[in-house]
Amino acid sequence: MRDRWIGSAKVPVSDPERTFLDCLHLPRHAGGITEVAAALVRAWLTLDQERLISHSHRLGNASVDRRLGVLIEALELDEDDRLIGRLQHRRWRGRPVSLDPSLPTGGEINKRWGVRMNVPPDELSLVGRT
């Protein structure tokens, strides 16, 4: 978070990596998980991936880690699997989280991440690539 001056007002501005994590926490505030996924695809090469993981660990929100892991895998962003292992720092227990909590519950559960895939896989595979 950095302070920026806009006119005579000092405004805190988040970095893109933290903004993505905030969007994964509450996807409805960012237009839904497909919009977050599309933005992630477009920004992936310019993101500081180390900072993304560091922010994720500091945030300590397992739901955000799981959604990020599912998206990175589904969108095939981590070509050398460098980040996936660092996200899976603990095994999930209990109830799965919905990929998009604002959508109706349904769909299969991704057992690796503990995420209920309530967004059709074909919809995810098309985001950011058209």
Side-chain angles (χ1 to χ4, degrees):
M1 184 87 58
R2 297 181 194 178
D3 289 333
R4 305 274 177 162
W5 287 96
I6 298 177
S8 62
K10 190 173 170 182
V11 180
V13 177
S14 176
D15 60 53
E17 295 79 12
R18 176 57 199 251
T19 301
F20 272 109
L21 298 176
D22 290 342
C23 291
L24 289 171
H25 176 63
L26 295 170
R28 72 179 178 273
H29 290 234
I33 199 71
T34 54
E35 289 298 321
V36 176
L40 190 62
V41 168
R42 287 191 303 272
W44 187 252
L45 295 177
T46 61
L47 287 178
D48 183 334
Q49 296 166 11
E50 291 300 318
R51 184 182 299 155
L52 181 69
I53 297 299
S54 175
H55 282 331
S56 177
H57 287 301
R58 266 187 276 132
L59 187 61
N61 185 323
S63 297
V64 169
D65 286 352
R66 293 191 214 165
R67 289 183 189 119
L68 180 60
V70 161
L71 288 181
I72 288 173
E73 279 187 349
L75 301 170
E76 300 175 352
L77 298 174
D78 190 20
E79 294 172 0
D80 56 3
D81 289 332
R82 194 173 55 85
L83 299 177
I84 292 294
R86 294 180 58 201
L87 276 175
Q88 260 190 308
H89 58 280
R90 58 183 178 264
R91 184 124 175 104
W92 69 276
R93 292 182 291 215
R95 293 175 33 165
V97 298
S98 293
L99 183 57
D100 191 331
S102 65
L103 296 177
T105 304
E108 294 189 22
I109 296 171
N110 178 311
K111 294 190 186 322
R112 178 175 184 180
W113 294 101
V115 173
R116 182 171 299 280
M117 301 300 289
N118 62 339
V119 175
D122 57 332
E123 194 173 320
L124 276 181
S125 66
L126 294 175
V127 298
R129 303 203 191 276
T130 56

